[in-house]
């Protein structure tokens, strides 16, 4: 009996090894990440609808089927849990045929699409805007090369950190933050809800992140507030940015004096760059310059206290302490929404919406109702506070899912 058990155990072990080798060679094996199965059909429908509005709609053969999407999500998830030379992979995958891209870098021999090969190639696509090109031949998936230029409605899957995947596509006007569709974190699935947002009460920042056309955009290719939000979140130290009316001093009634670090003269570089674009005077490197200045201002938000800019993007101060204006009462309640399918709005006591930055932001907007406050938490949560005239209360939009 003992010998028989050993043989049985040895046989099971050998079978597992053979099975593991087989799965590593198979192009589209059975999906083991449940979230991939659950979301693939929804994503197929979404990109079919998007393709009808974009340059990708040149034949159904270029639209990814749910089984292909499922396999890509599954492999990317398992790749995210591995490490290459001690580093967790950061990968951007573009699910597109090479002939549908501009200036692709095509490998002499396509590489099998497996978690192991994704991890091996991940250092080559760690820089922004570089994607591994993936497409299928029949039921087989291959990594065919890399690309900088992809169609508007191409499915892009980004491995952000272990177990965290973001599915997105390029915004139709071209440059800037991609439009997020879904965020998968372990067994959690968050689908962005574009249909039940109350856009009449939606700040331009949120509308832009959702790919909704703005009534008066800053620029057809870049939205400054979006990039400021990304910059705030990037330093991972938390931050508070107050956006106040231009040529008004009323906001100072809600700030402790003396202000931590006031700017004199006012720093107008970002405002000047935006104005150059409006006047048609901007130079070739305008976009690069404006993003550099955005990063500078975003860096100031890492300092304890609030950073203050005008709606024309003039930097007024940083390190400012928010206090309730003497003539106003404490903020009573806050209306909180998140643009996620199945997420119901809540009305909460302000002390329950987050830390001191959130409370300060809610109080500031309650006092200064023509202002806006952006709050980045150290744990990645990002909230935009505005005053809602229709609700007659502070409205907090949680948008971290859109900023990944």
């Amino acid at each position: 009996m003992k010998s028989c058990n050993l043989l049985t155990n040895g046989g099971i072990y050998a079978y597992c090894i053979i099975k593991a080798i087989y799965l590593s060679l198979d192009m589209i094996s059975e999906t083991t990440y449940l979230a991939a199965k659950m979301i693939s059909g929804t994503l197929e429908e979404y990109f079919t609808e998007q393709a009808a509005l974009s340059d990708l709609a040149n034949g159904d053969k270029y639209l990814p089927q749910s089984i292909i999407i499922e396999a890509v999500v599954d492999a990317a998830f398992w790749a995210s849990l591995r490490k290459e030379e001690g580093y967790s992979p950061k990968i951007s995958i573009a699910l597109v045929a090479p002939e549908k891209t501009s200036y692709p870098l095509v490998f002499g021999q396509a590489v099998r699409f497996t978690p192991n090969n994704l991890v091996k190639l991940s250092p080559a696509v760690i820089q922004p805007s570089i994607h591994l090109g993936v497409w299928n031949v029949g039921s087989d998936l291959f990594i065919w090369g890399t690309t900088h230029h992809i169609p508007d409605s191409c499915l892009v899957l980004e491995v952000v950190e272990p177990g965290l995947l973001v599915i997105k596509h390029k915004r139709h006007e071209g440059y800037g933050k991609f439009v997020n569709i879904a965020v998968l974190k372990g067994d959690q699935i968050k689908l962005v809800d574009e249909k039940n947002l109350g856009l009449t009460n939606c700040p331009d920042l949120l509308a832009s992140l959702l790919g909704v056309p703005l009534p008066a955009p800053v620029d057809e290719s870049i939205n400054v507030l979006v990039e400021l939000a990304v910059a705030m979140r990037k330093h991972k130290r938390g931050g508070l940015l107050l956006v106040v009316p231009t040529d008004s001093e009323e906001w100072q009634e809600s700030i402790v004096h003396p202000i931590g670090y006031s700017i004199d003269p006012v720093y107008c570089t970002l405002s000047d760059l935006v104005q150059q674009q409006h006047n048609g005077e901007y130079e070739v490197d305008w976009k690069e310059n404006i993003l550099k200045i955005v990063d500078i201002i975003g860096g100031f938000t890492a300092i304890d206290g609030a950073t203050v800019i005008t709606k024309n993007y003039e930097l007024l101060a940083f390190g400012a302490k928010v206090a309730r204006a003497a003539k106003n009462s404490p903020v009573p309640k806050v209306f909180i929404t998140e643009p996620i399918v199945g997420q119901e709005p809540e009305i909460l006591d302000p002390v329950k919406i987050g830390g001191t930055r959130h409370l300060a932001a809610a109080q500031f907007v309650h006092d200064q109702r023509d202002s806006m406050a952006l709050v980045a938490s150290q744990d990645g949560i990002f909230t935009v506070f505005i005053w809602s005239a229709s609700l007659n209360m502070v409205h907090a939009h949680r948008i971290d899912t859109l900023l990944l």
Side-chain angles (χ1 to χ4, degrees), residues 322-325 328-331 358-368:
V322 176
R324 176 167 57 90
N328 291 322
S329 59
V331 54
H358 295 82
L359 181 57
Q363 185 64 56
F364 186 86
V365 170
H366 182 259
D367 293 351
Q368 308 295 329

Side-chain angles (χ1 to χ4, degrees), residues 95-116:
L95 188 53
V96 64
E99 61 267 28
K100 297 301 294 179
T101 67
S102 301
Y103 311 109
L105 187 156
V106 181
F107 300 155
Q109 291 184 336
V111 179
R112 290 171 174 172
F113 184 77
T114 64
N116 183 62

Side-chain angles (χ1 to χ4, degrees), residues 314-360:
E314 300 163 334
L315 179 62
L316 304 179
F318 66 95
K321 305 296 184 184
V322 176
R324 176 167 57 90
K327 62 182 180 182
N328 291 322
S329 59
V331 54
K333 297 289 182 180
V334 177
F335 186 75
I336 299 181
T337 57
E338 186 175 8
I340 300 299
V341 173
Q343 189 73 33
E344 296 295 329
E346 295 182 278
I347 298 179
L348 296 177
D349 189 283
V351 298
K352 297 181 179 180
I353 61 176
T356 55
R357 288 191 184 95
H358 295 82
L359 181 57

Side-chain angles (χ1 to χ4, degrees), residues 46 50 53 169-174 177-181 192-194 197 199 202-214 223 226 402:
Y46 179 90
Q50 290 295 310
L53 305 173
H169 68 79
K170 189 170 68 173
R171 59 184 61 251
H172 294 305
E173 64 269 23
K177 175 76 176 64
F178 278 29
V179 178
N180 289 3
I181 308 157
V192 175
D193 187 354
E194 300 180 13
L197 293 170
L199 289 175
C202 172
D204 286 354
L205 171 62
L206 177 56
S208 180
L209 283 167
L210 289 164
V212 177
L214 302 181
N223 183 281
V226 170
L402 306 177

